[in-house]
Amino acid sequence: MINKAQSPKSKVQCPPICLTIAGLDPSGGAGIIADIKTFTAFGCFATAAVTSLTFQNTTGVFGAVNQTAESVRGQVLPVIEDFQIAAVKTGMLPTGEVIEEVARLIQEFKLPAPVVDPVVRSTSGFDLITDEALQSLIKSLFPLARVVTPNIAEAERITNLKIETFESMQAAARKIYDLGAKVVLVKSGHLVHDGKTRDLLFDGESFEVFEGQFIETKATHGTGCTLAAGIAANLANGKTLNEAVQIAKDFVTNAIRTAPHIGRGHSPINLITENGK
Ligand code: PXL
């Protein structure tokens, strides 16, 4: 959606405005910093509300201070009262109270259906959300989502299924749909087929497969956040969901391929790009 002349004095066409509601990774690879870079790469204006201050670098997550429902609402309200938001992305929503507040805000202000990245655990094994929060996420936020984008580990925790094959990815997608998500994108990650990743989109009727080149690397920090933010930005730019998924996936693959390899652990990917290229 294009924001027509939000500022009457400005002759510049306003870019679509995207909002991320997610955690802060101060090392810049994941969370809102990755989202802001991704929105910007696709020509959108980035806004962000922080749900948790995490303490981390490329080697791991060492702790987190979570925000409250009140402080998340306090951040989001002035932004949505002033700007017309074209797309919303959610990432780390650490507690039930934060999730319920985000669901309330979306319904109360009729925000665009969010791209929900069901962040559960960091690559290094740090639990980013409580078990109770996961149940809130499923019950309160999945039904409001435009699309829910779990990776295999997240899909396993949501469904209690073991996912080792493409067929079990399909079963998990069906189960997440049955749990209330209207559309599910299960990302294949390391579950590779003929050297290709195969992400699976399910809308309750048919499966769509999105292929990408698998790149064997440790530089994967922030891939989930970037994919979800890329989908949101492309929806904001007027693409269909299928187009948005393919464009965002190609963007992530390219960002992995050209990763800067910084830090001693899982390097962030390359988000220094122009116009999503
Ligand atoms: O990639 C998952 C993720 C999302 N958001 C934040 C994170 C992480 C993983 O560490 O820290 C803030």
Side-chain angles (χ1 to χ4, degrees):
M1 196 201 314
I2 305 292
N3 283 268
K4 284 197 211 90
Q6 292 206 338
S7 160
K9 286 186 224 91
S10 165
K11 293 214 165 54
V12 178
Q13 177 87 42
C14 282
I17 300 171
C18 292
L19 169 66
T20 173
I21 306 175
L24 173 72
D25 163 9
S27 66
I32 63 159
I33 298 183
D35 297 341
I36 292 168
K37 292 175 191 171
T38 305
F39 292 160
T40 308
F42 285 109
C44 294
F45 183 85
T47 64
V50 182
T51 56
S52 179
L53 304 175
T54 73
F55 315 146
Q56 65 174 299
N57 58 25
T58 63
T59 70
V61 181
F62 310 110
V65 173
N66 298 332
Q67 293 296 299
T68 61
E70 199 185 2
S71 68
V72 170
R73 188 178 184 84
Q75 293 173 78
V76 170
L77 267 188
V79 176
I80 62 178
E81 283 171 353
D82 200 22
F83 293 159
Q84 189 182 339
I85 302 296
V88 179
K89 177 247 163 176
T90 67
M92 177 185 177
L93 302 175
T95 60
E97 70 164 85
V98 167
I99 292 163
E100 298 302 334
E101 189 58 50
V102 170
R104 247 193 312 276
L105 285 163
I106 288 164
Q107 289 176 297
E108 197 176 326
F109 295 94
K110 300 191 172 47
L111 296 178
V115 176
V116 172
D117 186 17
V119 173
V120 167
R121 188 172 290 167
S122 74
T123 321
S124 54
F126 186 90
D127 276 330
L128 296 165
I129 105 174
T130 62
D131 280 327
E132 164 252 342
L134 181 61
Q135 292 315 311
S136 287
L137 191 67
I138 295 169
K139 187 172 65 59
S140 301
L141 209 54
F142 279 16
L144 303 179
R146 178 70 184 88
V147 58
V148 180
T149 63
N151 60 26
I152 299 244
E154 289 158 352
E156 284 187 331
R157 183 146 169 225
I158 293 163
T159 62
N160 284 321
L161 295 173
K162 189 94 205 115
I163 304 174
E164 285 166 336
T165 60
F166 190 67
E167 288 68 33
S168 48
M169 273 175 70
Q170 288 182 312
R174 268 188 200 285
K175 191 155 177 191
I176 295 170
Y177 174 83
D178 290 340
L179 286 168
K182 292 189 203 81
V183 188
V184 187
L185 179 71
V186 182
K187 300 170 289 187
S188 71
H190 279 74
L191 197 63
V192 178
H193 187 88
D194 282 343
K196 297 226 157 54
T197 59
R198 297 169 91 200
D199 299 351
L200 193 59
L201 190 75
F202 182 60
D203 63 1
E205 286 183 3
S206 55
F207 289 102
E208 186 84 30
V209 177
F210 296 87
E211 285 195 344
Q213 191 199 345
F214 177 72
I215 300 161
E216 183 60 65
T217 176
K218 262 173 60 184
T220 53
H221 189 67
T223 46
C225 305
T226 302
L227 184 84
I231 295 171
N234 280 284
L235 290 173
N237 282 334
K239 304 290 185 201
T240 65
L241 180 61
N242 280 23
E243 288 167 346
V245 169
Q246 190 63 63
I247 295 168
K249 182 167 173 64
D250 293 345
F251 179 74
V252 171
T253 304
N254 196 46
I256 295 172
R257 186 181 298 117
T258 57
H261 294 281
I262 52 175
R264 288 169 291 120
H266 291 277
S267 167
I269 58 178
N270 174 31
L271 299 180
I272 306 171
T273 56
E274 242 176 73
N275 299 322
K277 303 259 164 29

